[in-house]
Amino acid sequence: MKMASIILVTLFLFNLVFVPSMALPFGFGFPGDYDQQQPPQDNEQNQDKNQKLVNDGNNGNLRVGFYKDSCPNAENIVAGALAEISKTNPNAIANLIRLQFHDCFVVGCDASILLDYSPTGDKVEKSSMFNGQLLKGADIIDDIKSKLEEQCPGAVSCSDTLAFSVNEGMAIAGLPRRAALGGRRDSIYSLASVAEDNNLPMPNWPLEKMVELFTRKGFTIEEMVILLGAHSVGSAHCDVFMERIYNFANTRKPDATLPTPVVNELQQICQNPGTPQFRNPPVNFDETPTVLDNLFYKNMITRNKTLLITDAHLLNDPRTIPVVQQMAGDEGLWQKRFAEVMVKLSSLNVSTGTDGEVRKTCRSTN
Ligand code: HEM
Ligand SMILES: *[C@@H]1O[C@H](CO)[C@@H](O)[C@H](O)[C@H]1NC(C)=O
Ligand SMILES: *[C@@H]1O[C@H](CO)[C@@H](O)[C@H](O)[C@H]1NC(C)=O
C-alpha cells in the first residue's frame, strides 16, 4: 500500500515531463533549508499591545494564556522573532502555514513534522516524498524556538511554537491579531508511513479524494474551500502544475479550462520541460503572495486562474462554487472564516497534559 503510494507520487511528478530521459535538476528528498541570513538579534517586541485580541476561548484542552506562569512573554518572543525573519524572508509565513497543515493532518498538531530522527529509527515524516523539498520552514521554527529557550528553557513546546508562529504570521499577513491557544505537547515519534497513508493531499487528486480527506479530518466542504484560500500566500513550483500548461492528461495541450492568457502567463515563467531553458521556479499563487487576501478566489471567478488542479476543481462542483463566489465577493468574511478554521486546523488531535513531551530542540526528541 505504502509502496503503491510512493510509485503514484513518483509517476505523478515525472509524467509531466515530455522527455523522459531528461534528468530533473530537482526532486524530493530531505527538505533544503531556506537560504536566509540570521535575523539580527534583538529583543524588540513588535507586537502592538493595544491591538484588540479576538478571543478564541477554549478549544478542547488548549487555552489562551497557557504559558502565563511558565513563559509569560512566549507570544511576544515569537512575534518579535517572526517580525525580524519575515523582513528578510517574505516567504516565511507561507512556509509556516503549509508546515502546520502538513503537521496537523498527520496524526495531529504535535510537531512530528519537525523531527529529523525518530527514536524508533523509522523514516520520519519530513523525509517522505509527500513532504519532500517543497516543505520549508523547519529552520524558521529552529530560530524562533531558540529565542524561546533563551528566555524560558524547556517551557514552550515545538507544536505551540509552530502554532504561535502561524498565528502571528497570519496577523503579519493582514488578519486581525488573535490570542493563540497553547498547551500542545510534542510527539516522541514521527513516521513517514503515516504521512503516506492517505493523510496528505496530492495536487492531482480528484475532488472526491479531497472531500474524503478533509471530511475524515473533521472539516466540512465549506471549511475545506476556506482553508484552500491559504493558497493566497506563497507559491507552487512549476513541476507541480506543469502538466496543466503543456500536456494536460497527456493531450500535449494545455488544460482547456485554463484561459489562454493564463496559460501564456504561466508558460512565460515555466519553460517547456522538453527545452534546455527548463527550470523549476516557484510561481506565486496570486499577485499578492505575502498578503492573506481573497485574490486567490477573485482570480478564480474573474479569470479562471488557478495553478493546482485541486484548486481548479473548486470551480467545477455545485458544492464548492458558491463558497468560492462568496469568498471572492467578501474579503472580510473569508479572513474571518479562515482565522476560525485555522484554529480548528491547529487544534487537530493535539496531545496535552502529560502526553508526549516538550522538546528542547524541535528536530529531536529529548
Ligand atoms: C487539496 C489540498 C491541498 C493540496 C493538494 C495542496 C498542494 C500544495 C502544493 C502542491 C503546493 C506547492 C508546493 C511547492 O511547489 O512549493 C502548496 C503550497 C502551499 N499550500 Fe497547499 N495544498 C492543499 C491544501 C492546503 C491547505 C489546507 C493549506 C493551509 C491551510 C495549504 C497551504 C499552503 C501554502 C501556504 C502554500 C505555499 C507554501 C510556500 O510558499 O512555502 N495548502 N500546496
Ligand atoms: C491522535 O493522536 C494519537 C496519539 O496522540 C494517535 O495514536 C492517534 O492515531 C491520532 N488519531 C488520528 C485520527 O490520527
Ligand atoms: C471560466 O470557465 C468556465 C467553464 O470552463 C467558462 O464558462 C467561463 O466563461 C470562464 N470564465 C472566464 C472569465 O474565462
Side-chain angles (χ1 to χ4, degrees), residues 187-244:
S187 74
I188 49 173
Y189 69 95
S190 171
L191 295 173
S193 55
V194 183
E196 288 162 8
D197 190 18
N198 258 318
N199 286 311
L200 291 173
M202 291 300 296
N204 64 343
W205 273 14
L207 186 70
E208 288 321 314
K209 286 200 74 164
M210 297 162 63
V211 169
E212 188 280 324
L213 172 61
F214 280 81
T215 310
R216 177 154 42 89
K217 299 295 174 184
F219 296 95
T220 63
I221 293 177
E222 190 218 19
E223 289 171 333
M224 177 182 83
V225 178
I226 288 167
L227 273 184
L228 281 165
H231 291 165
S232 166
V233 289
S235 56
H237 289 76
C238 292
D239 68 342
V240 298
F241 62 86
M242 197 66 114
E243 173 186 9
R244 295 189 75 199

CSV table of all heavy atoms in Angstrom, one decimal, residues 187-244:
chain,number,residue,atom,x,y,z
A,187,SER,N,5.2,15.3,19.9
A,187,SER,CA,5.3,13.8,19.8
A,187,SER,C,6.7,13.3,20.1
A,187,SER,O,7.6,14.1,20.1
A,187,SER,CB,4.9,13.5,18.3
A,187,SER,OG,6.0,13.8,17.5
A,188,ILE,N,6.7,12.0,20.4
A,188,ILE,CA,8.0,11.4,20.6
A,188,ILE,C,8.4,10.5,19.5
A,188,ILE,O,9.3,9.7,19.6
A,188,ILE,CB,8.1,10.7,22.0
A,188,ILE,CG1,6.9,9.8,22.1
A,188,ILE,CG2,8.1,11.7,23.1
A,188,ILE,CD1,6.9,9.0,23.4
A,189,TYR,N,7.6,10.6,18.4
A,189,TYR,CA,8.0,9.8,17.2
A,189,TYR,C,7.4,10.5,15.9
A,189,TYR,O,6.6,11.4,16.1
A,189,TYR,CB,7.4,8.4,17.3
A,189,TYR,CG,5.9,8.4,17.2
A,189,TYR,CD1,5.3,8.1,16.0
A,189,TYR,CD2,5.1,8.6,18.3
A,189,TYR,CE1,3.9,8.1,15.9
A,189,TYR,CE2,3.7,8.6,18.2
A,189,TYR,CZ,3.1,8.4,17.0
A,189,TYR,OH,1.7,8.4,16.9
A,190,SER,N,7.9,10.1,14.8
A,190,SER,CA,7.4,10.6,13.5
A,190,SER,C,7.6,9.5,12.5
A,190,SER,O,8.6,8.9,12.4
A,190,SER,CB,8.3,11.9,13.1
A,190,SER,OG,8.0,12.3,11.8
A,191,LEU,N,6.5,9.3,11.8
A,191,LEU,CA,6.6,8.1,10.8
A,191,LEU,C,6.1,8.5,9.4
A,191,LEU,O,5.0,9.0,9.2
A,191,LEU,CB,5.6,7.0,11.3
A,191,LEU,CG,6.0,6.3,12.7
A,191,LEU,CD1,4.9,5.4,13.1
A,191,LEU,CD2,7.3,5.6,12.5
A,192,ALA,N,7.0,8.4,8.5
A,192,ALA,CA,6.7,8.7,7.1
A,192,ALA,C,5.5,7.9,6.6
A,192,ALA,O,4.7,8.4,5.9
A,192,ALA,CB,7.9,8.5,6.2
A,193,SER,N,5.5,6.7,7.2
A,193,SER,CA,4.4,5.8,6.7
A,193,SER,C,3.0,6.3,7.0
A,193,SER,O,2.1,6.1,6.2
A,193,SER,CB,4.6,4.4,7.3
A,193,SER,OG,4.6,4.5,8.7
A,194,VAL,N,2.9,7.1,8.1
A,194,VAL,CA,1.6,7.6,8.4
A,194,VAL,C,1.3,8.8,7.5
A,194,VAL,O,0.2,9.0,7.0
A,194,VAL,CB,1.5,8.1,9.9
A,194,VAL,CG1,0.1,8.6,10.2
A,194,VAL,CG2,1.9,6.9,10.8
A,195,ALA,N,2.3,9.6,7.2
A,195,ALA,CA,2.1,10.7,6.2
A,195,ALA,C,1.7,10.2,4.9
A,195,ALA,O,0.8,10.8,4.2
A,195,ALA,CB,3.4,11.5,6.1
A,196,GLU,N,2.2,9.0,4.5
A,196,GLU,CA,1.9,8.4,3.2
A,196,GLU,C,0.6,7.6,3.2
A,196,GLU,O,0.2,7.1,2.1
A,196,GLU,CB,3.1,7.5,2.8
A,196,GLU,CG,4.3,8.4,2.5
A,196,GLU,CD,5.6,7.6,2.5
A,196,GLU,OE1,5.6,6.4,2.6
A,196,GLU,OE2,6.7,8.3,2.3
A,197,ASP,N,0.0,7.5,4.3
A,197,ASP,CA,-1.2,6.6,4.4
A,197,ASP,C,-2.5,7.5,4.2
A,197,ASP,O,-3.3,7.6,5.0
A,197,ASP,CB,-1.3,5.9,5.7
A,197,ASP,CG,-2.3,4.9,5.8
A,197,ASP,OD1,-2.8,4.4,4.7
A,197,ASP,OD2,-2.7,4.5,6.9
A,198,ASN,N,-2.5,8.2,3.0
A,198,ASN,CA,-3.7,9.0,2.7
A,198,ASN,C,-4.0,10.1,3.6
A,198,ASN,O,-5.2,10.5,3.7
A,198,ASN,CB,-4.9,8.1,2.6
A,198,ASN,CG,-5.3,7.7,1.2
A,198,ASN,OD1,-5.2,8.6,0.3
A,198,ASN,ND2,-5.6,6.5,0.9
A,199,ASN,N,-3.0,10.7,4.3
A,199,ASN,CA,-3.2,11.8,5.2
A,199,ASN,C,-2.8,13.1,4.6
A,199,ASN,O,-3.1,14.2,5.2
A,199,ASN,CB,-2.5,11.5,6.5
A,199,ASN,CG,-3.3,10.5,7.3
A,199,ASN,OD1,-4.5,10.6,7.5
A,199,ASN,ND2,-2.6,9.5,7.8
A,200,LEU,N,-2.1,13.1,3.5
A,200,LEU,CA,-1.8,14.4,2.8
A,200,LEU,C,-2.3,14.4,1.4
A,200,LEU,O,-2.2,13.4,0.7
A,200,LEU,CB,-0.2,14.5,2.8
A,200,LEU,CG,0.4,14.8,4.2
A,200,LEU,CD1,1.9,14.8,4.1
A,200,LEU,CD2,-0.1,16.1,4.8
A,201,PRO,N,-2.8,15.5,1.0
A,201,PRO,CA,-3.4,15.6,-0.4
A,201,PRO,C,-2.3,15.8,-1.4
A,201,PRO,O,-1.3,16.4,-1.2
A,201,PRO,CB,-4.3,16.8,-0.3
A,201,PRO,CG,-3.6,17.7,0.7
A,201,PRO,CD,-2.9,16.8,1.7
A,202,MET,N,-2.6,15.2,-2.6
A,202,MET,CA,-1.7,15.4,-3.7
A,202,MET,C,-2.4,16.4,-4.7
A,202,MET,O,-3.6,16.4,-4.8
A,202,MET,CB,-1.4,14.1,-4.4
A,202,MET,CG,-0.5,13.2,-3.6
A,202,MET,SD,1.1,13.9,-3.2
A,202,MET,CE,1.8,14.0,-4.9
A,203,PRO,N,-1.6,17.2,-5.4
A,203,PRO,CA,-2.2,18.3,-6.2
A,203,PRO,C,-2.9,17.8,-7.5
A,203,PRO,O,-3.4,18.6,-8.2
A,203,PRO,CB,-1.0,19.2,-6.6
A,203,PRO,CG,0.2,18.3,-6.4
A,203,PRO,CD,-0.1,17.3,-5.3
A,204,ASN,N,-2.8,16.5,-7.7
A,204,ASN,CA,-3.6,15.9,-8.9
A,204,ASN,C,-4.8,15.1,-8.5
A,204,ASN,O,-5.4,14.4,-9.2
A,204,ASN,CB,-2.6,15.0,-9.7
A,204,ASN,CG,-2.2,13.8,-9.0
A,204,ASN,OD1,-2.3,13.7,-7.8
A,204,ASN,ND2,-1.7,12.8,-9.7
A,205,TRP,N,-5.1,15.2,-7.2
A,205,TRP,CA,-6.3,14.5,-6.7
A,205,TRP,C,-7.6,15.0,-7.3
A,205,TRP,O,-7.8,16.2,-7.5
A,205,TRP,CB,-6.4,14.6,-5.2
A,205,TRP,CG,-5.6,13.6,-4.4
A,205,TRP,CD1,-4.6,12.8,-4.9
A,205,TRP,CD2,-5.7,13.3,-3.0
A,205,TRP,NE1,-4.1,12.0,-3.9
A,205,TRP,CE2,-4.8,12.3,-2.7
A,205,TRP,CE3,-6.5,13.8,-2.0
A,205,TRP,CZ2,-4.6,11.8,-1.4
A,205,TRP,CZ3,-6.3,13.3,-0.7
A,205,TRP,CH2,-5.4,12.3,-0.4
A,206,PRO,N,-8.6,14.1,-7.5
A,206,PRO,CA,-9.9,14.5,-7.8
A,206,PRO,C,-10.6,15.1,-6.6
A,206,PRO,O,-10.2,14.8,-5.5
A,206,PRO,CB,-10.6,13.2,-8.3
A,206,PRO,CG,-9.8,12.1,-7.6
A,206,PRO,CD,-8.4,12.6,-7.4
A,207,LEU,N,-11.6,15.8,-6.8
A,207,LEU,CA,-12.3,16.5,-5.7
A,207,LEU,C,-12.8,15.5,-4.7
A,207,LEU,O,-12.8,15.8,-3.5
A,207,LEU,CB,-13.5,17.3,-6.3
A,207,LEU,CG,-14.2,18.1,-5.2
A,207,LEU,CD1,-13.4,19.3,-4.7
A,207,LEU,CD2,-15.6,18.7,-5.7
A,208,GLU,N,-13.3,14.3,-5.2
A,208,GLU,CA,-13.8,13.4,-4.2
A,208,GLU,C,-12.8,12.9,-3.2
A,208,GLU,O,-13.1,12.7,-2.0
A,208,GLU,CB,-14.4,12.1,-4.9
A,208,GLU,CG,-15.7,12.4,-5.6
A,208,GLU,CD,-16.7,13.3,-4.9
A,208,GLU,OE1,-16.9,13.1,-3.7
A,208,GLU,OE2,-17.2,14.2,-5.6
A,209,LYS,N,-11.5,12.8,-3.6
A,209,LYS,CA,-10.5,12.4,-2.6
A,209,LYS,C,-10.2,13.5,-1.7
A,209,LYS,O,-10.0,13.3,-0.5
A,209,LYS,CB,-9.2,12.0,-3.4
A,209,LYS,CG,-9.3,10.7,-4.1
A,209,LYS,CD,-7.9,10.1,-4.4
A,209,LYS,CE,-7.2,9.5,-3.1
A,209,LYS,NZ,-6.1,8.6,-3.4
A,210,MET,N,-10.2,14.8,-2.2
A,210,MET,CA,-10.0,15.9,-1.3
A,210,MET,C,-11.1,15.9,-0.2
A,210,MET,O,-10.9,16.1,1.0
A,210,MET,CB,-10.1,17.2,-2.1
A,210,MET,CG,-9.0,17.4,-3.1
A,210,MET,SD,-9.4,18.6,-4.4
A,210,MET,CE,-9.4,20.1,-3.4
A,211,VAL,N,-12.4,15.8,-0.7
A,211,VAL,CA,-13.5,15.8,0.2
A,211,VAL,C,-13.4,14.7,1.2
A,211,VAL,O,-13.6,14.9,2.4
A,211,VAL,CB,-14.9,15.7,-0.6
A,211,VAL,CG1,-16.0,15.5,0.4
A,211,VAL,CG2,-15.1,17.0,-1.4
A,212,GLU,N,-13.0,13.5,0.8
A,212,GLU,CA,-12.9,12.4,1.7
A,212,GLU,C,-11.9,12.7,2.8
A,212,GLU,O,-12.1,12.5,4.0
A,212,GLU,CB,-12.6,11.1,0.9
A,212,GLU,CG,-12.6,9.8,1.7
A,212,GLU,CD,-11.3,9.6,2.6
A,212,GLU,OE1,-10.2,9.9,2.2
A,212,GLU,OE2,-11.5,9.1,3.7
A,213,LEU,N,-10.7,13.2,2.4
A,213,LEU,CA,-9.7,13.5,3.4
A,213,LEU,C,-10.1,14.6,4.4
A,213,LEU,O,-10.0,14.4,5.6
A,213,LEU,CB,-8.4,13.9,2.6
A,213,LEU,CG,-7.2,14.4,3.5
A,213,LEU,CD1,-6.8,13.4,4.5
A,213,LEU,CD2,-6.1,14.9,2.7
A,214,PHE,N,-10.6,15.7,3.8
A,214,PHE,CA,-10.9,16.8,4.7
A,214,PHE,C,-12.1,16.4,5.6
A,214,PHE,O,-12.2,16.8,6.8
A,214,PHE,CB,-11.2,18.1,3.9
A,214,PHE,CG,-10.0,18.8,3.5
A,214,PHE,CD1,-9.2,18.4,2.4
A,214,PHE,CD2,-9.4,19.9,4.3
A,214,PHE,CE1,-8.0,19.0,2.1
A,214,PHE,CE2,-8.3,20.5,3.9
A,214,PHE,CZ,-7.6,20.1,2.8
A,215,THR,N,-13.0,15.6,5.1
A,215,THR,CA,-14.2,15.2,6.0
A,215,THR,C,-13.6,14.3,7.1
A,215,THR,O,-14.0,14.4,8.2
A,215,THR,CB,-15.2,14.4,5.1
A,215,THR,OG1,-15.5,15.3,4.0
A,215,THR,CG2,-16.5,14.2,5.9
A,216,ARG,N,-12.7,13.4,6.7
A,216,ARG,CA,-12.2,12.5,7.7
A,216,ARG,C,-11.4,13.3,8.8
A,216,ARG,O,-11.4,12.8,9.9
A,216,ARG,CB,-11.2,11.5,7.0
A,216,ARG,CG,-10.5,10.5,7.8
A,216,ARG,CD,-10.1,9.3,7.1
A,216,ARG,NE,-9.6,9.5,5.7
A,216,ARG,CZ,-8.3,9.7,5.4
A,216,ARG,NH1,-7.4,9.7,6.4
A,216,ARG,NH2,-7.9,9.9,4.2
A,217,LYS,N,-10.9,14.4,8.4
A,217,LYS,CA,-10.2,15.2,9.4
A,217,LYS,C,-11.1,16.1,10.2
A,217,LYS,O,-10.7,17.0,11.0
A,217,LYS,CB,-9.1,16.1,8.8
A,217,LYS,CG,-8.0,15.2,8.1
A,217,LYS,CD,-7.2,14.4,9.1
A,217,LYS,CE,-6.2,13.5,8.4
A,217,LYS,NZ,-5.5,12.6,9.3
A,218,GLY,N,-12.4,16.1,9.8
A,218,GLY,CA,-13.4,16.8,10.6
A,218,GLY,C,-13.8,18.2,10.0
A,218,GLY,O,-14.4,19.0,10.7
A,219,PHE,N,-13.5,18.4,8.7
A,219,PHE,CA,-13.9,19.7,8.1
A,219,PHE,C,-15.0,19.5,7.2
A,219,PHE,O,-15.1,18.4,6.5
A,219,PHE,CB,-12.7,20.2,7.3
A,219,PHE,CG,-11.5,20.6,8.2
A,219,PHE,CD1,-10.5,19.7,8.4
A,219,PHE,CD2,-11.5,21.8,8.9
A,219,PHE,CE1,-9.4,20.0,9.3
A,219,PHE,CE2,-10.4,22.1,9.7
A,219,PHE,CZ,-9.4,21.2,9.9
A,220,THR,N,-15.9,20.5,7.1
A,220,THR,CA,-17.0,20.4,6.1
A,220,THR,C,-16.3,20.8,4.7
A,220,THR,O,-15.2,21.3,4.7
A,220,THR,CB,-18.1,21.5,6.4
A,220,THR,OG1,-17.5,22.8,6.4
A,220,THR,CG2,-18.6,21.2,7.8
A,221,ILE,N,-17.1,20.7,3.7
A,221,ILE,CA,-16.7,21.1,2.4
A,221,ILE,C,-16.5,22.6,2.3
A,221,ILE,O,-15.5,23.1,1.8
A,221,ILE,CB,-17.7,20.6,1.3
A,221,ILE,CG1,-17.7,19.1,1.2
A,221,ILE,CG2,-17.3,21.2,-0.1
A,221,ILE,CD1,-18.6,18.5,0.2
A,222,GLU,N,-17.4,23.3,3.0
A,222,GLU,CA,-17.2,24.8,3.0
A,222,GLU,C,-15.9,25.1,3.7
A,222,GLU,O,-15.1,26.0,3.2
A,222,GLU,CB,-18.4,25.4,3.8
A,222,GLU,CG,-18.3,26.9,3.7
A,222,GLU,CD,-18.7,27.7,5.0
A,222,GLU,OE1,-18.7,27.0,6.1
A,222,GLU,OE2,-19.1,28.9,4.9
A,223,GLU,N,-15.6,24.4,4.8
A,223,GLU,CA,-14.3,24.7,5.5
A,223,GLU,C,-13.1,24.3,4.7
A,223,GLU,O,-12.1,25.0,4.7
A,223,GLU,CB,-14.3,24.0,6.9
A,223,GLU,CG,-15.2,24.6,7.9
A,223,GLU,CD,-15.4,23.7,9.2
A,223,GLU,OE1,-15.2,22.5,9.1
A,223,GLU,OE2,-15.7,24.3,10.2
A,224,MET,N,-13.2,23.3,3.9
A,224,MET,CA,-12.1,22.9,3.0
A,224,MET,C,-11.9,24.0,2.0
A,224,MET,O,-10.7,24.4,1.8
A,224,MET,CB,-12.5,21.6,2.3
A,224,MET,CG,-11.4,21.2,1.3
A,224,MET,SD,-11.8,19.7,0.4
A,224,MET,CE,-12.9,20.4,-0.9
A,225,VAL,N,-12.9,24.6,1.4
A,225,VAL,CA,-12.7,25.6,0.4
A,225,VAL,C,-12.1,26.9,1.1
A,225,VAL,O,-11.2,27.5,0.6
A,225,VAL,CB,-14.1,26.0,-0.2
A,225,VAL,CG1,-13.9,27.2,-1.2
A,225,VAL,CG2,-14.7,24.8,-1.0
A,226,ILE,N,-12.5,27.1,2.3
A,226,ILE,CA,-12.0,28.3,3.1
A,226,ILE,C,-10.5,28.1,3.4
A,226,ILE,O,-9.7,29.0,3.2
A,226,ILE,CB,-12.8,28.5,4.3
A,226,ILE,CG1,-14.2,29.1,3.9
A,226,ILE,CG2,-12.1,29.4,5.3
A,226,ILE,CD1,-15.2,29.1,5.0
A,227,LEU,N,-10.2,26.8,3.8
A,227,LEU,CA,-8.7,26.6,4.1
A,227,LEU,C,-7.9,26.7,2.8
A,227,LEU,O,-6.7,27.1,2.9
A,227,LEU,CB,-8.6,25.1,4.7
A,227,LEU,CG,-8.8,25.0,6.2
A,227,LEU,CD1,-8.5,23.5,6.5
A,227,LEU,CD2,-7.9,25.9,7.0
A,228,LEU,N,-8.4,26.2,1.7
A,228,LEU,CA,-7.6,26.3,0.5
A,228,LEU,C,-7.3,27.7,0.1
A,228,LEU,O,-6.4,28.0,-0.7
A,228,LEU,CB,-8.3,25.5,-0.6
A,228,LEU,CG,-8.1,24.0,-0.6
A,228,LEU,CD1,-9.1,23.3,-1.4
A,228,LEU,CD2,-6.7,23.7,-0.9
A,229,GLY,N,-8.0,28.7,0.7
A,229,GLY,CA,-7.7,30.1,0.5
A,229,GLY,C,-6.3,30.4,1.0
A,229,GLY,O,-5.8,31.5,0.7
A,230,ALA,N,-5.7,29.5,1.8
A,230,ALA,CA,-4.3,29.7,2.2
A,230,ALA,C,-3.4,29.8,0.9
A,230,ALA,O,-2.3,30.4,1.0
A,230,ALA,CB,-3.8,28.5,3.0
A,231,HIS,N,-3.9,29.3,-0.2
A,231,HIS,CA,-3.2,29.5,-1.4
A,231,HIS,C,-3.3,30.9,-2.0
A,231,HIS,O,-3.0,31.2,-3.1
A,231,HIS,CB,-3.6,28.4,-2.5
A,231,HIS,CG,-3.2,27.0,-2.2
A,231,HIS,ND1,-3.8,25.9,-2.8
A,231,HIS,CD2,-2.3,26.6,-1.2
A,231,HIS,CE1,-3.2,24.8,-2.2
A,231,HIS,NE2,-2.4,25.2,-1.3
A,232,SER,N,-3.6,31.8,-1.1
A,232,SER,CA,-3.5,33.2,-1.3
A,232,SER,C,-2.0,33.7,-1.1
A,232,SER,O,-1.6,34.7,-1.6
A,232,SER,CB,-4.4,34.0,-0.4
A,232,SER,OG,-4.1,35.4,-0.4
A,233,VAL,N,-1.3,32.9,-0.2
A,233,VAL,CA,0.1,33.3,0.1
A,233,VAL,C,1.0,32.2,-0.5
A,233,VAL,O,0.6,31.0,-0.6
A,233,VAL,CB,0.3,33.5,1.6
A,233,VAL,CG1,-0.3,34.8,2.1
A,233,VAL,CG2,-0.1,32.3,2.4
A,234,GLY,N,2.2,32.6,-0.8
A,234,GLY,CA,3.2,31.6,-1.2
A,234,GLY,C,3.1,31.2,-2.6
A,234,GLY,O,2.5,31.9,-3.4
A,235,SER,N,3.7,30.1,-2.9
A,235,SER,CA,3.9,29.7,-4.3
A,235,SER,C,3.9,28.2,-4.5
A,235,SER,O,3.9,27.5,-3.6
A,235,SER,CB,5.3,30.3,-4.8
A,235,SER,OG,6.3,29.7,-3.9
A,236,ALA,N,3.8,27.9,-5.8
A,236,ALA,CA,3.9,26.5,-6.2
A,236,ALA,C,5.0,26.4,-7.2
A,236,ALA,O,5.1,27.3,-8.1
A,236,ALA,CB,2.6,25.9,-6.7
A,237,HIS,N,5.8,25.4,-7.2
A,237,HIS,CA,6.9,25.2,-8.2
A,237,HIS,C,6.2,24.7,-9.5
A,237,HIS,O,5.2,24.0,-9.5
A,237,HIS,CB,7.9,24.2,-7.7
A,237,HIS,CG,8.8,24.8,-6.6
A,237,HIS,ND1,8.3,24.9,-5.3
A,237,HIS,CD2,10.0,25.4,-6.6
A,237,HIS,CE1,9.2,25.5,-4.6
A,237,HIS,NE2,10.3,25.8,-5.4
A,238,CYS,N,6.8,25.1,-10.6
A,238,CYS,CA,6.3,24.7,-11.9
A,238,CYS,C,5.9,23.3,-12.0
A,238,CYS,O,4.9,22.9,-12.5
A,238,CYS,CB,7.3,25.1,-13.0
A,238,CYS,SG,7.5,26.9,-13.2
A,239,ASP,N,6.8,22.4,-11.5
A,239,ASP,CA,6.6,21.0,-11.7
A,239,ASP,C,5.3,20.4,-11.1
A,239,ASP,O,4.8,19.4,-11.6
A,239,ASP,CB,7.8,20.2,-11.3
A,239,ASP,CG,8.0,20.2,-9.8
A,239,ASP,OD1,7.4,21.1,-9.1
A,239,ASP,OD2,8.7,19.3,-9.2
A,240,VAL,N,4.7,21.1,-10.1
A,240,VAL,CA,3.5,20.6,-9.6
A,240,VAL,C,2.3,20.9,-10.4
A,240,VAL,O,1.2,20.4,-10.1
A,240,VAL,CB,3.3,21.0,-8.1
A,240,VAL,CG1,4.4,20.4,-7.2
A,240,VAL,CG2,3.1,22.5,-7.9
A,241,PHE,N,2.4,21.8,-11.4
A,241,PHE,CA,1.2,22.1,-12.2
A,241,PHE,C,1.6,22.2,-13.7
A,241,PHE,O,0.8,22.5,-14.5
A,241,PHE,CB,0.6,23.4,-11.8
A,241,PHE,CG,1.4,24.6,-11.9
A,241,PHE,CD1,1.5,25.3,-13.1
A,241,PHE,CD2,2.2,25.1,-10.8
A,241,PHE,CE1,2.3,26.4,-13.2
A,241,PHE,CE2,3.0,26.2,-10.9
A,241,PHE,CZ,3.1,26.9,-12.1
A,242,MET,N,2.8,21.8,-14.0
A,242,MET,CA,3.4,21.9,-15.4
A,242,MET,C,2.4,21.2,-16.4
A,242,MET,O,2.2,21.7,-17.5
A,242,MET,CB,4.7,21.2,-15.4
A,242,MET,CG,5.5,21.5,-16.6
A,242,MET,SD,6.0,23.2,-16.6
A,242,MET,CE,7.7,23.0,-16.4
A,243,GLU,N,1.9,20.0,-16.0
A,243,GLU,CA,1.0,19.3,-16.8
A,243,GLU,C,-0.1,20.1,-17.4
A,243,GLU,O,-0.5,20.0,-18.5
A,243,GLU,CB,0.5,18.1,-16.0
A,243,GLU,CG,-0.6,17.3,-16.6
A,243,GLU,CD,-1.2,16.3,-15.7
A,243,GLU,OE1,-1.0,16.3,-14.5
A,243,GLU,OE2,-2.0,15.5,-16.2
A,244,ARG,N,-0.6,21.0,-16.6
A,244,ARG,CA,-1.8,21.8,-17.0
A,244,ARG,C,-1.5,22.8,-18.1
A,244,ARG,O,-2.3,23.2,-18.9
A,244,ARG,CB,-2.3,22.6,-15.8
A,244,ARG,CG,-2.9,21.8,-14.7
A,244,ARG,CD,-3.6,22.6,-13.7
A,244,ARG,NE,-4.9,23.1,-14.2
A,244,ARG,CZ,-5.6,24.1,-13.7
A,244,ARG,NH1,-5.0,24.8,-12.7
A,244,ARG,NH2,-6.7,24.5,-14.2
